[in-house]
Amino acid sequence: MQRLTVGKPLVFFAPALLAFACDNAVTTPEPTFNLNLPNVGDKDPEGPPIAPFAPVDSSSYLRKVKALMTGAAASPQELAQLQADPGAMRQLVNQWFDTPVFEQKMRNFFELAFQQRNFGANDFADQFALANIRNREGALERVMQNARESFARTAWTLVKEGKPFTETMTTRRFQMTTALMYTMAYHDERHVDNKRSYFHRRIETNAPGFNFDTLTVHRTGPEIPLAESTDPSSPNFMHFRADFSCPNNPATVTIGRERTVGLNLFEFMLGFFRSNTCGNAKNVGVRFSDSDFNDWRWVTVRHPNAGEETTVFYDVIGLRNATELVLHTPRVGFFSTMAFFANWPTNEDNEHRVTANQALIVALGRSFDGEDTIAPGNDLSLDKAHADPTTSCYSCHVTLDPMRQVFRQAYAYHGHDQDDPAFINSPGEFAVDGVRADINSIEALGNTLTTHPRLPRAWVHKLCYYANAVACSDDDPEVDRIANAFSASGFDFRTLIVELFSSPLVTHAQASESATQNGTGVGIARRFHWCTTLGKRLEMPTLCDGGPGNNNQRRRLSRILDALPDDDYARGNVAPIAVSDTSLFFRSATQNTCISIASYVVDAGTTPLFSSTEPDAAIATLVNTLMALPSGDPREADAHQILKEHFDAALLDTNNAKTALESTFVLACTAPSTISTGL
Amino acid sequence: MSISRRTLLQQALTGGAGLLWARALATGLPMSLLASPKRSLAQPLTASATPQRLILVTASAGHALNANAPGTYVSNRIAHPADPRMAATPLILGNQTYEAAAPWATLGPDVLSRSCFFHHTTRTNSHPNFPKVHKLMGAVRRQEMMVSMFAKALAPSLETVQTEPFSLAPRGLSFEGRALPVIKPRGLRDALLVPDTPVGRLAELRETQLDALHALFRRDATPAQRAYVDRLAKTHAESKNLSLNLLEKLSSLDSDGPDAQALAATVLLEMNISPVVLVSIPFSGDNHNDGNLARESDQTVSGMATLQALFGHLRTAGLQDAVTVAFLDVFGRTLEKKGTQGRDHNGNHHVMFMAGPNVRSSVVGGVVPTGKDWGAQAIASTTGAADEGGDIAFLDTLGAMGKTLGAALGIDPSVLDSEILQGKIVQAAVNTGG
């Protein structure tokens, strides 16, 4: 009987952990047991009737698209321009593309679309074959946030540099910070094989610059500059200065041995230190500056040339100026980042199937669902024990297994370079949607995805969801047109945005197959859109982070915002999660958000946005800016009248102009046009 | 327009035309998603068992609940707190008498007559493996967590407004790979209750003009826009018509602590929001240095008081036969004494306490000296007795616990066998008729 030891941390890696779809061989069809959202373009035959289509007026779709892109209300000039020339929408979208809020929105979209967001400390540490990475002062959370943002920033910077969007599949350049580079370099140094055994490549071989087995921390004496602590030629190499309590007050404390000192050093730089001499874990101060978590720049990741050493992880001073990371671990495209691997961890049973399937969902909007009729050239990679040809599992595995092979060739189960020759030499094959190709490197996978005819259409669909929270129809000619325009532009992302956001698929100014099949996506403003919209219109850029006020007020507002639905993604689901319908929670939370911030915008500061001494002007601004009904909008005058009536009634009730205007603000803030998209 | 929440809930619970609409209103998910049968469990629950909602008390601290539960008073090598409040006290479970710490007796015969103490391993002694324990260390198919699998199985029958478990405190849990948000009791309160401020108190005054704005945006609107504005109006009516009973309960949530979680969990189940609600109640914390096990004593007493309060809330709400309460921690703690210090992590032993109408009063499994401490024993699935030659091996007791809890929730055994790849249902612990 296998028993576990007691008292010290132990990681038990269960054999069936992280299985994909067919965890065991079965001889009868599996029960249907999933809540998969519909695939992109699916029409739900069981859904409610779709309201008959009617074209949306220019004022409504202008309000929708500008809010979606910038959070701001449309101006009277823009409305007049559009009313005079409906074709002006393309020009307006092109202008809004360059706004700071659109960058913010697209970075949020990319974090989700490239599936870089949903992981915690446990998932991240697993890539180091650790249960947790010990740290202080939130250093690890900041590193993980860097990892979440890194590829979204990469994609956006590629877009802004005018690079083809397909480079997101093949790029070796990534936006990184010093702290993230440090973490990736240590991950590379601490190689973990398929058996979860780790080995510090250079520390455990006493390579030049790594001939140390201990760290010495000085509790007294002068500061030791980091440059000296990390310089192998300095007498202070691997000596650090830190203040912390320790019984008997030793001047120095030394920890480490060959097997552990690498991790000791990695965690020390993140503020953590523990020695038997001093007892409990200490906070020795994070050795990174704030700027080390914010100095985003291009960093090229490449393999070492012959005889070349990989990047020294502890050389923080050098990393601060570096634009290259030399690693054994291949890093190519969105599907090789630490964030993607933390989202979709694998093991010896799953064998990268989940990694391959999620990569396919991201790149091409396709999942190995058993419906693809293409057959691979051979079944050498098929795990026949796992997916017997007589079972229902076979139809997915027959194409999935050859593709996951390319991940197995490149990566061990914890995201390090593969060192098992049996895996390195196994053939890989890509067979999806009419495209078949031998792929024997992770780079080849990126190239194959880049040239796949499905790619432009997949990204039209992802952005359709972003704009409408409902699917566009895969057989809509307008989807074809936009995908073709995107492809013909050399995958210029601006072209995709301009074509899509000015098209009937988003504006619903004219009928489309998508609107007929799936509706026009009139719905709530999801959390990120809602708080960026309010933040922009109320000049309150921190609203998404809790907004103004003291800590209690910020915490309260954060609690309220947490009750609002936000965009997300889920394992195996091609369609993103984008809630469109209103709810009890949504209505209550939006109202309470508005009540919470009313006092910060009415009579606040020396030049308040809304002054109770000038209620008519304030009400006009509420209508034009907050409710996004510009002059010229057919509802503007009536909206003004309704708000005015409320102000008068509230003033009569309270005899307090500030309270009356705050209540009028809440009314405008909860108006249908403020809390919705598509009205 | 005045639609009471209770009316909606009645519609939701009795089916009919309002069902999907009501569910969509409350969850925000499109009705099409809620309606689609392809997203519901193909195999229905058994008719022989009453489908249950689950309140799961869970934490990554590794509380010492296992150390003072029935079934651990079998050797004088096993340490229990000397605090008189924790004195060994006889409990009748099924037709047997066991000893346990005195606070367990405070639950009373109505709860103990439907309580099971299930001794098992969690296969880890590392705090960060909390999410993996919720995946039964890989035994749940498709990387799913046990509670999420349960929720997916139960939601269609219970017609809850959302399928996902609702977490009031525990973090690190997921549903189909995405993190479950945590909405703490005060978050629930702050989202649903209009603040008692001068502007908040003008809510009633705003109604007329808000109706006018709804009418304004219906005017010259497309059919889709009109339909959506109508739904906005309905959900607004719904939000202002929460029952007085629920409003009073929500307004009393002035902390995020265990007692508030117990009340909030009851409110959520009254509103039929989710089939599974997750809470945290401490029973010792990570008590390595708990001299004389004083904190363990204090928290066991206070934790049991919270548990009593929870059962009281459920009875008041008429939910006592609709809800099962259970505990799952990342691991248990060592049973033997560590000098004057506290207890260490014990991956070999954990006790799942579960109480509900489908649970048979029992102790399943037991403890045996293991290494330097004690661990759970293998189990005979038919009797639930600890049996080193039993058909549930030590390492499979984690999966067996999951399957047994699932059976107590009324989930079809064939579904449990399909979705949990390890262990067997311990028939002696459940009243499913299966």
Side-chain angles (χ1 to χ4, degrees), chain A residues 243-262:
Chain A
D243 292 316
F244 57 92
S245 62
C246 188
N248 302 320
N249 283 321
T252 62
V253 182
T254 297
I255 60 166
R257 54 191 168 84
E258 190 177 65
R259 285 284 284 164
T260 64
V261 72

Side-chain angles (χ1 to χ4, degrees), chain A residues 402-519:
Chain A
M403 180 174 155
R404 61 82 201 249
Q405 201 66 17
V406 75
F407 283 96
R408 285 213 299 183
Q409 289 171 349
Y411 299 106
Y413 295 132
H414 297 271
H416 297 80
D417 48 304
Q418 180 62 270
D419 62 349
D420 184 335
F423 289 163
I424 293 171
N425 297 323
S426 300
E429 187 178 0
F430 180 95
V432 177
D433 248 8
V435 174
R436 187 159 49 216
D438 291 330
I439 45 168
N440 287 319
S441 70
I442 200 73
E443 293 83 359
L445 174 63
N447 290 331
T448 303
L449 293 172
T450 294
T451 55
H452 197 285
R454 184 76 206 171
L455 185 143
R457 178 179 290 265
W459 287 85
V460 172
H461 283 305
K462 288 174 200 289
L463 285 159
C464 269
Y465 267 107
Y466 180 77
N468 300 329
V470 294
C472 285
S473 172
D474 204 38
D475 51 9
D476 191 327
E478 184 66 359
V479 171
D480 276 344
R481 184 191 71 76
I482 296 168
N484 290 338
F486 181 36
S487 183
S489 71
F491 296 99
D492 175 36
F493 192 73
R494 180 189 290 265
T495 299
L496 172 58
I497 292 292
V498 170
E499 292 297 333
L500 179 61
F501 284 14
S502 62
S503 87
L505 293 180
V506 172
T507 66
H508 303 298
Q510 296 100 39
S512 68
E513 184 72 24
S514 297
T516 304
Q517 285 193 12
N518 300 328

Side-chain angles (χ1 to χ4, degrees), chain A residues 30-249:
Chain A
E30 293 189 296
T32 303
F33 192 86
N34 61 58
L35 294 172
N36 285 342
L37 294 169
N39 280 337
V40 167
D42 275 3
K43 182 184 175 187
D44 188 345
E46 306 288 337
I50 301 295
F53 178 82
V56 172
D57 65 77
S58 56
S59 182
S60 291
Y61 71 74
L62 175 66
R63 182 164 43 248
K64 171 184 177 179
V65 178
K66 187 166 185 186
L68 192 66
M69 293 185 69
T70 73
S75 68
Q77 296 76 16
E78 288 167 332
L79 180 57
Q81 188 181 354
L82 193 60
Q83 285 170 336
D85 173 18
M89 197 63 197
R90 295 165 63 89
Q91 184 187 337
L92 292 169
V93 171
N94 194 41
Q95 287 170 13
W96 299 331
F97 188 94
D98 295 312
T99 59
V101 174
F102 188 62
E103 174 183 341
Q104 189 185 353
K105 291 215 163 195
M106 281 298 99
R107 284 191 1 221
N108 183 64
F109 168 74
F110 286 147
E111 255 183 55
L112 295 165
F114 287 111
Q115 302 192 351
Q116 309 280 314
R117 180 176 290 177
N118 290 339
F119 61 87
N122 185 231
D123 308 305
F124 197 72
D126 197 55
Q127 294 181 77
F128 299 79
L130 294 168
N132 60 333
I133 295 171
R134 298 166 300 183
N135 69 104
R136 289 294 182 268
E137 300 172 14
L140 180 66
E141 182 51 45
R142 297 183 80 180
V143 168
M144 292 197 300
Q145 186 55 30
N146 281 178
R148 292 184 188 103
E149 289 181 29
S150 172
F151 200 80
R153 288 175 177 271
T154 299
W156 179 250
T157 311
L158 287 170
V159 165
K160 290 302 284 182
E161 289 182 354
K163 304 292 186 193
F165 187 68
T166 47
E167 284 197 15
T168 54
M169 316 286 151
T170 59
T171 185
R172 289 177 172 281
R173 293 191 305 152
F174 300 87
Q175 286 286 307
M176 287 192 201
T177 64
T178 297
L180 183 58
M181 292 171 73
Y182 166 80
T183 305
M184 291 177 67
Y186 176 66
H187 176 267
D188 195 69
E189 176 68 24
R190 180 188 168 93
H191 184 272
V192 181
D193 67 14
N194 294 322
K195 303 292 185 192
R196 204 178 169 88
S197 296
Y198 72 86
F199 176 72
H200 288 91
R201 300 175 198 262
R202 285 173 288 187
I203 295 172
E204 295 183 47
T205 56
N206 294 320
F210 288 84
N211 190 12
F212 59 91
D213 292 340
T214 58
L215 303 184
T216 302
V217 184
H218 298 249
R219 298 179 61 249
T220 60
E223 287 300 317
I224 301 173
L226 189 59
E228 292 180 15
S229 300
T230 56
D231 177 1
S233 66
S234 167
N236 279 331
F237 182 54
M238 291 301 137
H239 286 246
F240 298 85
R241 173 74 174 83
D243 292 316
F244 57 92
S245 62
C246 188
N248 302 320
N249 283 321

Side-chain angles (χ1 to χ4, degrees), chain A residues 14 30 33 35 579 583 638, chain B residues 25 28 39 41 137 141 219:
Chain A
E30 293 189 296
F33 192 86
L35 294 172
V579 172
S583 70
D638 288 339
Chain B
L25 287 177
R39 290 183 287 277
L41 188 64
M137 296 306 282
R141 293 171 69 90
R219 195 182 74 197

Side-chain angles (χ1 to χ4, degrees), chain A residues 365-388:
Chain A
R366 276 284 189 250
S367 172
F368 290 103
D369 54 9
E371 293 179 4
D372 199 335
T373 55
I374 192 169
N378 62 67
D379 63 356
L380 295 175
S381 308
L382 178 66
D383 185 342
K384 297 183 184 67
H386 189 94
D388 185 284

